[in-house]
Amino acid sequence: MHDATILDFEFEAHASPVADADRAALLANPGFGKVFTDHMVVIRYTADRGWHDARIQPRGPILIDPACAVLHYAQEIFEGMKAYRTPDGGASLFRADANARRFAESAERMAMPPVPDDLFLASIRELVSVDRAWIPESEGGSLYLRPFMFASETFLGVRPAQEYLYMVIASPAGAYFKGGAPSVTLWVSEHYTRAAPGGTGAAKCGGNYAGSLVAQAEAIREECDQVVFLDAVENRYVEELGGMNVFFVFEDGSIQTPPLGGTILPGITRESLLTLARDSGVTVREERYSMADWQADAESGRLREAFACGTAAVVTPIGRVRGRGMDFAIGNGGPGILTEQLREQLVAIQRGTAPDPHGWVERLF
Ligand SMILES: *Cc1c(COP(=O)(O)O)cnc(C)c1O
């Protein structure tokens, strides 16, 4: 299959890749985001030539000019996805087409040229194939893929840049948590919001993260694990965490999550869990939920469980919520039953140990 938008990748093998024994030692306990594979993808864009010069090359530093536009005006977007080791030793991707689509939508919002979906997908497949030895075989392990692109033009004028670099790096990740994740305590940010209507909340851009870090630091100071943001207009409705969407589970067995609408990142884990829940006959609502209702429902027992979700940690139970003058537990403070069920169902599909009725899994080799 050869599409006009797929470039041929020039391959330059690493002259001294990590030795087998050293790689095995790194893979035994990779943690998250600290260990990287031998190669990376680089594709260039210029306004006159479009996307060109696609390469798989040894991973390493890149040289940029101090006037490189991204360093000044933050035209930058990224994705986060995983390659999994299949039970028979092969490898697969989960809903990579959705990451490609979202990357293109993030690009449009940031006035950047979208990477064609099939070029994005080809770049992912090429890198995973070249660095396949880096996909952990340990239970719960995966190869985390980080596609990103930034304005690489040397120019201080304020306008969309005319040159970009698209890159993909890969980082083996261990099981975030063995078995079910422990519950986290959330801090409700009173001063800071993550995204306003008309802003960049639905784009996966580094700037959203930069703006959330001070609130996350406040959460840590308050001895909480993660910050949860409320809406920027009324400061009442729950939106999401700095990098994860949020779900609520009620005593009647229904589940609810805040609706997309420009201020919430359209998580692929979120969408997958909504689909799995509907498949199992669970009543699902995408509706706003106020902080006051969350507290009242948790205290009355109407709300039974809450969890956060995203690619990195999949599903994280929320055990407690704290804020200025506010402190309440969810259920018994531990992981809820439906939370665990949904997590297990999703992980089983991702890892190829359960059927894949929606065609979400792409076998690579
Ligand atoms: C990436 C991200 C998520 C989760 O998206 P997934 O596709 O499920 O990984 C949620 N919120 C924010 C702000 C994000 O950046």
Side-chain angles (χ1 to χ4, degrees):
M1 207 169 57
H2 209 86
D3 196 285
T5 53
I6 300 189
L7 307 169
D8 285 323
F9 284 79
E10 184 98 13
F11 176 53
E12 182 194 341
H14 202 300
S16 49
V18 174
D20 288 351
D22 294 338
R23 188 178 59 245
L26 289 168
L27 288 179
N29 189 15
F32 182 80
K34 299 180 301 191
V35 174
F36 298 97
T37 66
D38 293 313
H39 298 90
M40 62 183 185
V41 171
V42 183
I43 311 180
R44 291 176 185 279
Y45 177 94
T46 54
D48 55 338
R49 293 183 63 191
W51 291 105
H52 63 278
D53 199 9
R55 300 173 56 84
I56 308 280
Q57 65 186 57
R59 204 193 88 86
I62 52 171
L63 202 59
I64 53 174
D65 192 276
C68 183
V70 68
L71 299 179
H72 303 274
Y73 310 125
Q75 244 191 318
E76 188 270 355
I77 56 170
F78 66 95
E79 270 303 323
M81 53 204 290
K82 286 175 171 174
Y84 302 90
R85 186 64 77 180
T86 55
D88 60 359
S92 65
L93 297 173
F94 179 75
R95 304 195 71 176
D97 54 328
N99 293 98
R101 203 74 301 284
R102 186 169 67 188
F103 195 62
E105 280 158 16
S106 297
E108 307 252 7
R109 176 61 185 84
M110 305 303 285
M112 303 164 91
V115 176
D117 288 13
D118 46 10
L119 180 57
F120 178 96
L121 291 168
S123 74
I124 299 291
R125 294 177 188 130
E126 294 274 344
L127 185 62
V128 174
S129 177
V130 165
D131 280 341
R132 62 177 70 192
W134 288 92
I135 309 172
E137 284 172 19
S138 54
E139 198 190 328
S142 59
L143 184 62
Y144 184 80
L145 299 159
R146 170 52 62 88
F148 62 103
M149 79 185 262
F150 62 90
S152 55
E153 185 182 1
T154 300
F155 182 56
L156 291 182
V158 180
R159 56 147 172 74
Q162 299 196 14
E163 292 172 24
Y164 296 86
L165 273 187
Y166 165 76
M167 305 180 65
V168 189
I169 53 175
S171 174
Y176 227 75
F177 303 105
K178 292 227 174 357
S183 297
V184 294
T185 299
L186 298 188
W187 176 253
V188 184
S189 179
E190 181 181 38
H191 305 294
Y192 302 110
T193 56
R194 194 191 82 90
T200 58
K204 211 167 173 72
C205 63
N208 288 342
Y209 279 74
S212 75
L213 296 178
V214 66
Q216 175 62 24
E218 183 180 279
I220 300 296
R221 247 191 343 269
E222 296 288 345
E223 295 176 336
C224 295
D225 302 294
Q226 291 274 330
V227 62
V228 57
F229 290 101
L230 304 183
D231 77 282
V233 176
E234 297 185 60
N235 214 37
R236 272 176 63 192
Y237 296 99
V238 182
E239 296 231 307
E240 64 169 315
L241 278 52
M244 282 189 274
N245 296 115
V246 64
F247 274 84
F248 309 99
V249 181
F250 295 90
E251 65 177 344
D252 64 0
S254 66
I255 66 172
Q256 184 165 336
T257 191
L260 304 179
T263 60
I264 289 175
L265 199 289
I268 295 162
T269 316
R270 173 189 179 280
E271 209 274 327
S272 304
L273 292 171
L274 284 173
T275 301
L276 292 180
R278 284 194 190 101
D279 287 354
S280 329
V282 171
T283 301
V284 165
R285 286 183 302 276
E286 293 179 71
E287 284 170 21
R288 301 211 292 182
Y289 194 49
S290 72
M291 200 57 238
D293 283 346
W294 192 3
Q295 176 163 20
D297 291 345
E299 286 171 353
S300 74
R302 184 173 168 262
L303 179 91
R304 289 289 166 81
E305 311 173 20
F307 62 86
C309 66
T311 295
V314 191
V315 165
T316 304
I318 299 166
R320 192 162 200 90
V321 181
R322 294 183 40 221
R324 200 72 60 208
M326 171 172 38
D327 187 351
F328 60 92
I330 314 278
N332 62 7
I337 293 169
L338 192 61
T339 300
E340 280 301 286
Q341 258 175 26
L342 285 169
R343 186 187 65 81
E344 278 167 24
Q345 268 186 50
L346 181 58
V347 167
I349 296 173
Q350 289 173 331
R351 298 194 170 273
T353 59
D356 170 29
H358 298 282
W360 285 340
V361 174
E362 175 188 341
R363 180 72 191 228
L364 289 180
F365 46 82

